[in-house]
Structure formats: structure tokens, C-alpha cells
Amino acid sequence: MTKPLDGVRVLDLTRLLPGPFGSLVLAELGATVDKVEDAGAGDYLRHTGPQRGGMSVAFAALNRGKRSAVVDLKSPAGRDAFERLLGSYDVLFEQFRPGVLDRLGLSHASLRAKFPRLVICALTGYGQTGPLRDRAGHDLNYLARAGVLALQGPAEGPPQVPGTQLADVSGGLWCVVAILAALRERDRTGQGTILDIAMTDGVLGFASIGLTAALAGEERAAGRDLLTGGIAPYNTYLSADGQPMTLASLEPKFWLTFATQNGLEPSLEALMPGDHQPALRERIAAIFASKTRAEWERFASEHDCCVEPAVLPSTLADDPQIAARELVFEQEVGGEKVTLFRTPVTPKGEIPAPAPTKGAHTATILGEAGFSPEEIAALAASGAVAVEP
């Protein structure tokens, strides 16, 4: 089956979550994605748990459909081999801190001079410019510096640590957007470009409502605004059997339906933050505690008012909506069947190729770039590359 990015070749220097999520999307759109890993630990994600047959399940999920080559960029022969490889690729995707490639003699400017059609996408925490460009960070730091974390509750005390990696994943996805746009521009001009994508920058839009209000001079207290836990009709509760449930009746028609069906006063004041909210939240909590999750799911099927269970990740594969959308699939990892997630662009019914072992395709990738078997053997003997036996 033909895919939109068939024929596009991506050389991927990224690791852990942000870049690999972006290159996963590119691979599932049809691009050939070749990971370049160092001769030591390789992609650190390989070593995280849980493991199945010596492979990380997280690595398997994020790197399916890709190939792996081991090239030592710290050795002169490895750098030379890497530059020679680049000539056969459309995109270089890297996730080092600013200046790392410069110190290796592989600066963006020098690579662009040698390969004018190359699109270089540099994903970092804080970007290539600004006072924090060289600082280390992780998802929580980027959310914090972007003003997004401070919007989150609880109302008292510091913000709750999110259960998702929003800056990491959105950073990877912004890279996909920028790469696709750069490739389209190259079709017009014949010229590649350098893309500066920062995870801090990319997360701002996910808090559009709260940030625009704050920037307009109407900053709201964390955990007390309409969308951050400040109103009882947009909140979480527990059912009679202790299952987490969500109520998101933001629009009047949804709230009025929920209220009238559950013996509450159908007043629109419930949709406004204020001192009346704690008492209303207690009343709604008691209502949710009067029915089991199954009973609430039947209620939601009969009444259109934005009530849904908070599906536990361990039961996701059994959820009828998830199953109907084919959002999970089984794949063998380390000799065992595991359940992995699909992205919205994973072709339905397709089982992607499994994630590669480290260096599994070094010889193939070098051969495609014109290296002879003798050259590959010499590079492997010098330690500049590693070839699986």
C-alpha cells in the first residue's frame, strides 16, 4: 500500500521519548527512518522497564518500523561515514543540546553547505537561542517555564505532577509538522533548511484558554478556573464501586440534563467558579457514589451530558471504544506478545515491523549509501561502526 511519505529518508539521531515519537509518526506515514545509535548504551530507552526478552516495551512501541545502525560520531572514521551517509537522506533529525554537533565537527551550517537539499530538524528543550539554550531539562521543567504547569491544580500547594509527557510528545509532533512543511518548501525551491523546535515553545498552545486570559491581565488561581477543577460540573468523582468517573458538562444543555436527571437544582450558576462550588462538588460526589461504574455507563448511554469513566491503562485493550477504533494491537517483543498503542496515522489492520535490535541494520544502511563490503568491514574493525554478526 502506498503511503504519503514513501521515498522520504530520515536519519534519526534522537532518543528517549520526544524525537522517537516524532520519527515514529514519520515512519507510519511511510518514511524510511534509520536510527543512528552510539556504540555504548545506544538509545537509553532500550534499558528502561518493563522488559520482554531483553527489549524495553516502551522502546518497542516508539521505534517500531525503524532500522538501527551503530556509528561512533566521536571517531574521525565514524564522522566521515556519517557525513557520507547523509548524502542519501532527505532529513536529519537530531535532539542534542545546542553546540554538541558543532563540537563533533558536524555543525548545522557545515552540513547545510555540503548538502543544500537537506532538512535539519533540531529538537531541544529550550531552543537554539535564549538564556536557557544550554540548560538541561525534562518535560516537567518545560511545562513549568512555559507557564502551563502553574495553571494546574490543586488549589492549595504546588501544582500536581502531570501523568503524561505533554512537552515531550508535542515537541516531537511539532517536528513532524515542521519537517513536512520544509519538505513541501524544498519541492518548490530545491533548498533544505534548519528547523529550530523547542519543547517549551511547543507546549504553549495546549493551555490556550488559561494563558490568553492571563496574558490579557485576568490571571486565575490555579485549580480554581473553569477548566482546571474550579467548577463541580467539570471534575472527577468516584463511583459506588470506587471507579474514577468524569463529568464535563460545560455547556448549559449538558449540565441541565445532568442536574434534572439527578435531583439537582438546574441552575446555570453551577457553571461559574465561586464560593458555592465546594458544596456543589460534595453533592455531586455523593450522587456519583450512589451508582456503580456500570450504572453510570448506562446512564451516559441514555443521557447526553458528558459522563465517562476514567479508563484504567491496564484495561485499555478491553474498552469497546478503543477496540472499535483499533487503537491497540499485539506484537511480539522479545519472544512474548505485548499490547502496543497505535497513533492516529497507523494504518488500520497493519502490524508495523518490530523495533530493531541495536545495530541490526548497520551493514544494510551503509550498503545502501554506497559503502562496499570491504569498507564496512574496515569500519567495523576500527570500531567506527558496529555490525550485528
Side-chain angles (χ1 to χ4, degrees), residues 185-203:
E185 179 69 3
R186 191 184 71 174
D187 289 341
R188 260 189 348 101
T189 66
Q191 292 294 307
T193 191
I194 300 169
L195 304 170
D196 172 11
I197 306 296
M199 286 174 262
T200 302
D201 300 1
V203 82

Side-chain angles (χ1 to χ4, degrees), residues 3 34 56 136 161 166 213 232 298 310 326 347:
K3 296 181 181 178
D34 292 335
S56 159
V161 176
L166 182 61
R298 285 196 293 272
E326 300 180 41

Side-chain angles (χ1 to χ4, degrees), residues 86 90-96 98-99 101-102 106-124 127-129 133 174-175 177-183 185-186 189-198:
L86 265 181
D90 301 285
V91 178
L92 173 63
F93 193 0
E94 64 102 346
Q95 194 184 305
F96 296 118
L101 286 181
D102 298 63
L106 297 167
S107 70
H108 295 160
S110 67
L111 294 178
R112 280 279 295 116
K114 292 175 182 174
F115 308 105
R117 288 179 55 82
L118 184 67
V119 172
I120 301 174
C121 184
L123 174 61
T124 59
Q128 302 292 315
T129 59
R133 69 186 293 272
W174 281 118
C175 288
V177 173
I179 287 169
L180 295 180
L183 290 173
E185 179 69 3
R186 191 184 71 174
T189 66
Q191 292 294 307
T193 191
I194 300 169
L195 304 170
D196 172 11
I197 306 296

